[in-house]
Amino acid sequence: MVATGRYRAILWIVLTINAVMFAVEIIAGLAAGSAALQADALDFFADAANYGISLFVLGMTLRWRASAALVKGASMGLFGLWVIGSVVWHALQGTVPAWGTMGLVGVAALLANGACLALLYAWRDGDANMRSVWICSRNDVVANLAVLAAALGVFGTGTGWPDIIVASIMAFLALQGAVTIIRHALSELRESGEAEPVPLLR
């Protein structure tokens, strides 16, 4: 019970951090014309929603926790597909983002996600729901480092291609994380007796 109460409090903290950073990055991303920042902003939004779902199912049965993880995995997959569409649009438009804004906001996002990762470290090997929360935060830190690299790339090349490349990496991370979470969640649903193997067509 103590561990559950502590985890609940930490989820509230990381939810607040992600909600605030979503507002900061979506404004900065639109102002700077950065696909990577806009993608990272939506990632913060998705994470805040995921933490909210995790709080809702905390303490419930394995079936409910695994079902919530399944929803989160699907949302991460949709996020990845959205980023791919954004990458294509910015590539066609030839957008050159403001590298200074990218770098400044990227540092703030890295610090925020680093704090979330440290808070969630103790629960990285929990059930599918806890694992999905950890994977989201881990991917966010990697994405933030990539955004900073993109800012340097835009500064050095004077083109928007580094920004586009980073957004593509973020899409890959989202899709990869989604597959991992969905597989783990389906496995736990089978364990709980709520999901049956789909028979092979002959």
Side-chain angles (χ1 to χ4, degrees):
M1 182 65 68
V2 175
T4 300
R6 183 184 175 194
Y7 185 61
R8 185 184 299 275
I10 287 176
L11 283 179
W12 275 112
I13 294 172
V14 295
L15 187 158
T16 301
I17 291 173
N18 278 266
V20 171
M21 285 308 303
F22 161 70
V24 171
E25 278 207 322
I26 195 64
I27 294 172
L30 291 172
S34 169
L37 279 183
Q38 291 176 47
D40 205 30
L42 288 184
D43 195 20
F44 272 116
F45 176 80
D47 287 347
N50 287 340
Y51 297 142
I53 293 174
S54 296
L55 282 166
F56 178 74
V57 301
L58 192 61
M60 292 186 177
T61 63
L62 178 62
R63 172 197 171 192
W64 286 102
R65 298 197 309 273
S67 296
L70 193 60
V71 172
K72 288 189 285 186
S75 69
M76 286 179 66
L78 290 174
F79 160 72
L81 294 176
W82 179 90
V83 173
I84 290 173
S86 177
V87 164
V88 172
W89 188 88
H90 280 283
L92 293 175
Q93 295 294 315
T95 306
V96 179
W99 63 269
T101 301
M102 288 178 64
L104 182 62
V105 177
V107 169
L110 178 61
L111 292 175
N113 279 320
C116 291
L117 197 65
L119 289 170
L120 295 167
Y121 183 79
W123 288 275
R124 67 191 183 282
D125 294 321
D127 60 24
N129 190 54
M130 289 182 174
R131 182 173 173 78
S132 69
V133 170
W134 164 259
I135 289 174
C136 286
S137 297
R138 182 198 64 189
N139 286 353
D140 290 345
V141 170
V142 176
N144 295 149
L145 291 173
V147 169
L148 291 176
L152 289 175
V154 171
F155 169 72
T157 65
T159 70
W161 284 108
D163 183 64
I164 290 173
I165 291 172
V166 164
S168 299
I169 292 173
M170 294 172 71
F172 171 77
L173 288 173
L175 293 174
Q176 184 183 54
V179 170
T180 300
I181 291 169
I182 289 172
R183 283 179 176 172
H184 196 167
L186 289 175
S187 175
E188 290 189 349
L189 279 173
R190 285 192 291 269
E191 290 176 11
S192 70
E194 295 300 327
E196 296 294 334
V198 178
L200 294 176
L201 296 177
R202 297 184 182 276

